[in-house]
Amino acid sequence: MNRSWNAVFTTVLVLLFPLALVSQSSDSNRTGASTVLAKGGCSSFLSELAGGGGAASGGADDKAVHGYDPANLDRSISPCDDFYKFADGGWIKNNPVPADRPSWARYNKLRNDNEDVLHQILDEASKNPKAEPSADWRKIGDFYASCMDESQVEAAGVKPLASEFQRIGDVKDIATLQDEIARLQSMGVNAVFNFGSEQDLKDSTKVIAGAGQAGLGLPDRQYYLDDDDHSKQLRAGYLQHMTNMFKLMGDDAAASAAEAKTVLDLETSLAKASRKREDLRDPTSNYHPMDLTQLDELTPHLSWASFFKGIGAPPLKSADIGQPDFFKQVDAALVSVPLADWKTYLRWHLIHTAAPALSAKFVDENFDFYGRALTGVKQQLPRFRRCVEAADAKLGEALGQYYVKRNFPPEAKAQALAMVRNIVAALRDDLSTLDWMSPETRVQAIKKLDALTLKIGYPDKWRDYSAYRVDRGPYVENALRGNQFENARDLGKIGKPVDLAEWIMTPQTVNAYYAAARNEIVFPAGILQPPFFDPKSDDAINYGGIGSVMGHEMTHGFDDQGAKFDGRGNLSNWWTPEDLKNFQQRGECIVQQFDASEIEPGLNGNGKLEEGEAIADLGGITISHAAFLKTLGGKSSAPIDGFTPDQRFFLGWAQMYAANITPEFARLIAKTDPHPIDRIRVNAPLTNIPAFAKAFSCPADSKMVRPEGQRCRIW
């Protein structure tokens, strides 16, 4: 499934946790819905992660503690000096980054626990394919078995790709080059640009076609353009990695080095024409619907009608082009770059996509760069974990049906839904009393909130995988057919009404999202687990934890992006001019705070990239705290473990983001992810919240307390 950049805004505006948790390969132009769905299966690798679930943990997480475990504290630190270290310092000390991770966090531990459940399911299905009469049971078992069959993977080597390499070799002109680009895209290969379905920004009832910038092998355009020593070192490493991969395909050393240079030059030209990530966050400037005549005028050497046919799209008369200047560069390159260079580029992206599903020499070389160099991971995940994550990526809802039966009882769903409704009520109260919003805008804001759809746990209608052929043959074939299935499923939506029952995350996912074009918030069963949501815990911990997540996602409907969409999911300005100006100024306060945050020595945050997530965090905590104060726990003054209910609320917030991280991964997140790193994410919003300072009796000159004139306040 290839989605244009506009789909990032219209399908999934933003998420709770970083998207880059983290692939061994990263693609600068696929975040949002497509990455979450397949963890990269529709971009440049086959869903084998270096930092998803975990093989090991330790410390307090292994205890059955309901609520907040005091062992996670570092009492040598004042909560008013550094609340993150105070609340999470004990956990951080006892949970170092495992050798096969770029980071280790509470959400990694929960993902690990969920994957253990998935592993049990997959193992049973692979050993007992006839144990249940379900076709999905057979598919998940066969997929997992083929992935685990190392001897077959080694014997197959790169042979399953031979026919595709031959097709690339047979390219003889621009027309056949275009056909091959379309074909490779249908297989999930990140070739040149993205193409797929998206909701129309101006009519959210419609699914249209969209195309956007892509085609890079490094995580972001800046990796090609930045001139600092670290970026130069990574580019040199990427060049060597490509050289090594070409040699593994049988090319001699000199040819491989030249081919790697060819790819880097071509990708650099695409990177120069690509928009910055922070610029891609503006839906208005990334929305350019064009009819066939306009498309052909934009790219006279690229026949869109032929491309639509080649990729398997229905007959189309128009498409939304996210970044027209990027496509002008693509068109120029079609005629200026020699066909031999294009073939080299396509060979690279095919092997890059397939590498994690091939024999060990390709897997190891792929990991050496995308794991070690980019994220600081020292060793690979065990094979069974990579296979669990791959099955989850390709057959997520088939697995999800069994996960829900084992891990999410109806009473948990009912309690979570009640919490969401309480927090919706708190947001309605907030919108009704904001002192900076006019009555005209207030009416529209409440109207949008009242139209919000809530989805909890799992979909009412499960995805149909009958068209996805899975067998116990070579693993790479199952993986690529999974990409083709998802591409066909995605393109099949174009021209049809939006399916509002569809979920963009699987039930077992440890995350949550707000979808602007659907005006919905979604909380999968996977995140509604301890320690984030625990029915046996006190109100303070649940509202500080999962409650702040719920408030976070609701606030996304009113952050710098979500505020551009109305209650029906259409791009529409529902603000008075004065209110909009006021809102934007308040957002700029957030930008300045996060611009000033230091990630690593010499590297600060990117406030414009992080603005939406930071607004959502600040709003989410504020709104959930207001909802908590109306609960029995919020009205109580009885301490637990020496902490008042108010103090425990903020401890519940902090414990969600306890984490250790490699310096390499911290840099990757800073450059590519809209989420601030965990340390900053915990502390920064609390410095703006008077209720936090009051709860811990922090003096006005404390590090965790901003002077009143410097505080950011929006919702």
Side-chain angles (χ1 to χ4, degrees):
M1 175 185 62
N2 298 316
R3 294 180 183 269
S4 77
W5 261 104
N6 283 356
V8 175
F9 304 111
T10 59
T11 306
V12 178
L13 194 59
V14 258
L15 307 163
L16 174 66
F17 293 124
L19 297 174
L21 293 176
V22 68
S23 60
Q24 292 179 6
S25 166
S26 186
D27 179 349
S28 65
N29 302 305
R30 283 181 171 84
T31 61
S34 58
T35 308
V36 172
L37 259 176
K39 297 187 180 68
C42 57
S43 63
S44 56
F45 64 106
L46 297 177
S47 73
E48 300 192 28
L49 308 183
S57 64
D61 261 336
D62 292 331
K63 304 174 183 177
V65 175
H66 299 287
Y68 180 83
D69 188 346
N72 293 338
L73 291 164
D74 182 350
R75 295 183 185 271
S76 70
I77 304 294
S78 166
C80 300
D81 285 341
D82 188 330
F83 189 64
Y84 178 71
K85 288 184 179 179
F86 169 77
D88 296 330
W91 190 95
I92 291 168
K93 179 181 177 181
N94 293 321
N95 290 271
V97 180
D100 54 7
R101 312 286 145 200
S103 67
W104 189 249
R106 296 300 291 268
Y107 42 84
N108 292 116
K109 174 61 171 64
L110 179 51
R111 287 179 67 172
N112 181 80
D113 293 344
N114 286 350
E115 285 182 1
D116 285 343
V117 177
L118 300 182
H119 181 214
Q120 293 171 3
I121 295 167
L122 288 164
D123 194 52
E124 291 173 20
S126 66
K127 293 176 180 177
N128 300 287
K130 297 182 180 180
E132 295 193 23
S134 164
D136 284 346
W137 181 260
R138 180 65 179 259
K139 286 182 192 294
I140 63 176
D142 285 353
F143 186 97
Y144 183 73
S146 77
C147 182
M148 289 297 293
D149 191 346
E150 291 184 79
S151 60
Q152 179 177 237
V153 170
E154 291 301 313
V158 77
K159 287 183 289 187
L161 304 180
S163 61
E164 206 56 49
F165 284 127
Q166 184 61 53
R167 290 180 63 94
I168 293 172
D170 290 341
V171 167
K172 59 184 180 182
D173 51 28
I174 292 178
T176 52
L177 171 62
Q178 175 182 294
D179 289 344
E180 186 59 19
I181 291 171
R183 178 177 169 82
L184 290 172
Q185 285 189 18
S186 75
M187 298 168 62
V189 176
N190 180 27
V192 192
F193 59 90
N194 277 334
F195 180 80
S197 73
E198 62 184 53
Q199 281 180 266
D200 192 329
L201 285 177
K202 297 295 181 71
D203 185 351
S204 64
T205 67
K206 295 180 179 178
V207 181
I208 61 174
Q213 65 187 51
L216 307 180
L218 286 171
D220 184 73
R221 72 184 293 275
Q222 295 307 125
Y223 280 78
Y224 296 85
L225 307 180
D226 288 348
D227 205 36
D228 59 281
D229 290 341
H230 185 259
S231 297
K232 291 178 180 178
Q233 181 181 356
L234 281 175
R235 281 197 294 273
Y238 181 51
L239 196 65
Q240 186 60 55
H241 166 60
M242 288 191 290
T243 300
N244 295 344
M245 291 290 273
F246 280 116
K247 287 198 280 189
L248 289 178
M249 286 191 283
D251 299 350
D252 64 41
S256 296
E259 288 167 331
K261 180 65 164 55
T262 292
V263 175
L264 184 62
D265 289 347
L266 182 47
E267 289 184 351
T268 300
S269 71
L270 296 177
K272 289 178 178 178
S274 300
R275 303 194 73 194
K276 293 182 178 180
R277 278 183 182 257
E278 52 267 39
D279 296 331
L280 291 167
R281 296 187 69 252
D282 178 14
T284 305
S285 63
N286 290 277
Y287 178 66
H288 306 278
M290 299 182 184
D291 60 28
L292 281 176
T293 299
Q294 292 170 317
L295 290 171
D296 288 338
E297 289 174 352
L298 177 70
T299 58
H301 302 99
L302 195 163
S303 169
W304 286 93
S306 297
F307 175 81
F308 296 154
K309 182 179 180 181
I311 199 171
L316 299 173
K317 296 182 179 179
S318 63
D320 172 27
I321 302 299
Q323 300 77 37
D325 288 343
F326 175 83
F327 282 88
K328 291 178 182 177
Q329 172 59 31
V330 169
D331 189 72
L334 287 175
V335 292
S336 64
V337 174
L339 279 177
D341 291 357
W342 276 115
K343 293 180 186 182
T344 297
Y345 169 87
L346 295 181
R347 285 180 68 217
W348 157 245
H349 277 281
L350 175 58
I351 198 66
H352 177 44
T353 297
L358 295 175
S359 53
K361 62 183 182 180
F362 290 98
V363 173
D364 292 345
E365 175 57 39
N366 186 65
F367 171 78
D368 195 55
F369 179 72
Y370 289 103
R372 287 191 179 91
L374 271 180
T375 70
V377 180
K378 295 179 176 63
Q379 67 185 45
Q380 296 241 39
L381 284 171
R383 186 169 188 89
F384 83 90
R385 289 219 176 268
R386 287 180 275 151
C387 291
V388 168
E389 292 180 347
D392 189 20
K394 297 293 184 272
L395 291 155
E397 288 195 16
L399 263 174
Q401 298 176 57
Y402 297 101
Y403 171 84
V404 166
K405 290 177 183 178
R406 302 186 187 200
N407 248 48
F408 194 60
E411 54 269 25
K413 180 173 182 175
Q415 186 171 337
L417 184 59
M419 280 190 69
V420 174
R421 288 172 175 161
N422 289 344
I423 295 167
V424 168
L427 179 54
R428 186 179 292 108
D429 289 345
D430 179 65
L431 292 172
S432 300
T433 57
L434 279 175
D435 55 9
W436 59 266
M437 182 178 281
S438 71
E440 294 88 348
T441 302
R442 191 187 318 278
V443 167
Q444 296 303 316
I446 294 174
K447 183 178 179 181
K448 177 173 182 176
L449 179 63
D450 288 342
L452 184 69
T453 298
L454 312 178
K455 292 181 178 179
I456 304 293
Y458 50 88
D460 295 326
K461 181 179 69 175
W462 295 103
R463 185 161 299 168
D464 179 7
Y465 290 95
S466 58
Y468 179 13
R469 181 168 68 86
V470 179
D471 57 35
R472 300 205 174 202
Y475 168 46
V476 68
E477 294 181 359
N478 278 332
L480 292 176
R481 284 198 299 265
N483 291 350
Q484 290 172 317
F485 163 78
E486 184 55 37
N487 177 74
R489 190 188 73 84
D490 178 61
L491 296 181
K493 301 176 190 178
I494 299 174
K496 297 177 181 177
V498 172
D499 179 5
L500 294 176
E502 181 183 19
W503 279 49
I504 296 159
M505 284 180 179
T506 64
Q508 56 271 27
T509 301
V510 182
N511 220 322
Y513 67 88
Y514 170 75
R518 296 164 176 260
N519 193 26
E520 68 179 16
I521 52 174
V522 182
F523 301 95
I527 197 173
L528 297 173
Q529 307 288 332
F532 297 166
F533 172 65
D534 187 350
K536 296 181 180 180
S537 184
D538 55 301
D539 286 339
I541 296 299
N542 275 331
Y543 275 85
I546 199 66
S548 295
V549 176
M550 294 168 176
H552 172 108
E553 300 307 337
M554 291 176 204
T555 305
H556 272 317
F558 304 92
D559 70 9
D560 64 310
Q561 289 177 302
K564 297 177 181 179
F565 294 82
D566 62 22
R568 293 176 298 175
N570 292 319
L571 190 61
S572 173
N573 182 14
W574 44 271
W575 298 74
T576 66
E578 186 63 27
D579 286 343
L580 182 59
K581 180 180 178 181
N582 199 344
F583 172 70
Q584 290 171 338
Q585 288 174 342
R586 290 169 181 269
E588 187 60 30
C589 175
I590 293 284
V591 171
Q592 292 175 7
Q593 284 189 7
F594 282 81
D595 274 344
S597 63
E598 186 177 62
I599 311 301
E600 290 289 322
L603 177 65
N604 278 22
N606 182 341
K608 204 61 187 172
L609 179 63
E610 298 167 336
E611 182 179 2
E613 294 300 327
I615 289 174
D617 281 343
L618 178 57
I621 299 167
T622 302
I623 294 160
S624 185
H625 185 253
F628 163 65
L629 293 178
K630 295 184 178 182
T631 67
L632 289 176
K635 295 174 182 177
S636 169
S637 59
I640 300 176
D641 294 325
F643 293 103
T644 67
D646 241 21
Q647 290 173 334
R648 287 177 64 78
F649 174 90
F650 293 109
L651 289 171
W653 163 253
Q655 77 166 350
M656 293 182 59
Y657 299 101
N660 283 297
I661 185 170
T662 65
E664 295 90 344
F665 190 38
R667 287 182 174 275
L668 177 62
I669 288 178
K671 282 195 172 186
T672 64
D673 202 291
H675 302 80
I677 64 171
D678 298 293
R679 165 175 52 85
I680 294 169
R681 192 166 191 184
V682 168
N683 283 347
L686 300 184
T687 64
N688 296 298
I689 298 177
F692 167 78
K694 181 180 179 181
F696 287 92
S697 301
C698 295
D701 60 351
S702 301
K703 294 179 181 178
M704 287 296 301
V705 180
R706 290 184 188 273
E708 185 173 355
Q710 297 177 21
R711 294 175 194 160
C712 298
R713 184 177 74 88
I714 304 179
W715 306 111

